[in-house]
């Protein structure tokens, strides 16, 4: 694997976590390019979907027992 050269700018001089955080917002970062708003909406949608499944499971269990 190739190693990337460290940059000599503001991100490189601060080092540590700031350099890795800035990598997420550059074009060089691998992976999907989605905005934080999309991640927020998807996670809230997933939580709502799981909650709905719980409610449907409870209703199905009550109807089956009756």
């Amino acid at each position: 694997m190739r190693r990337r050269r460290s940059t000599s700018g503001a991100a490189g001089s601060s080092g540590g976590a700031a350099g890795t955080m800035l990598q997420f917002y550059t074009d060089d970062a691998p992976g999907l390019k989605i905005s934080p708003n999309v991640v927020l909406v998807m996670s809230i949608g997933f939580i709502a979907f799981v909650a709905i499944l719980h409610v449907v499971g409870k209703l199905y269990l009550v109807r089956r027992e009756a």
Side-chain angles (χ1 to χ4, degrees):
M1 290 193 341
R2 291 187 310 177
R3 288 188 127 193
R4 293 185 189 203
R5 282 189 264 173
S6 63
T7 58
S8 61
S13 63
S14 61
T20 56
M21 283 302 293
L22 287 174
Q23 186 181 7
F24 287 119
Y25 298 104
T26 61
D27 291 334
D28 295 335
L32 294 174
K33 306 287 190 280
I34 55 177
S35 70
N37 290 338
V38 173
V39 174
L40 181 67
V41 168
M42 288 174 61
S43 58
I44 290 173
F46 177 73
I47 292 169
F49 180 69
V50 171
I52 289 170
L53 284 179
H54 278 287
V55 170
V56 168
K58 293 283 186 180
L59 292 176
Y60 181 73
L61 184 65
V62 167
R63 286 188 182 176
R64 184 131 186 182
E65 290 176 352

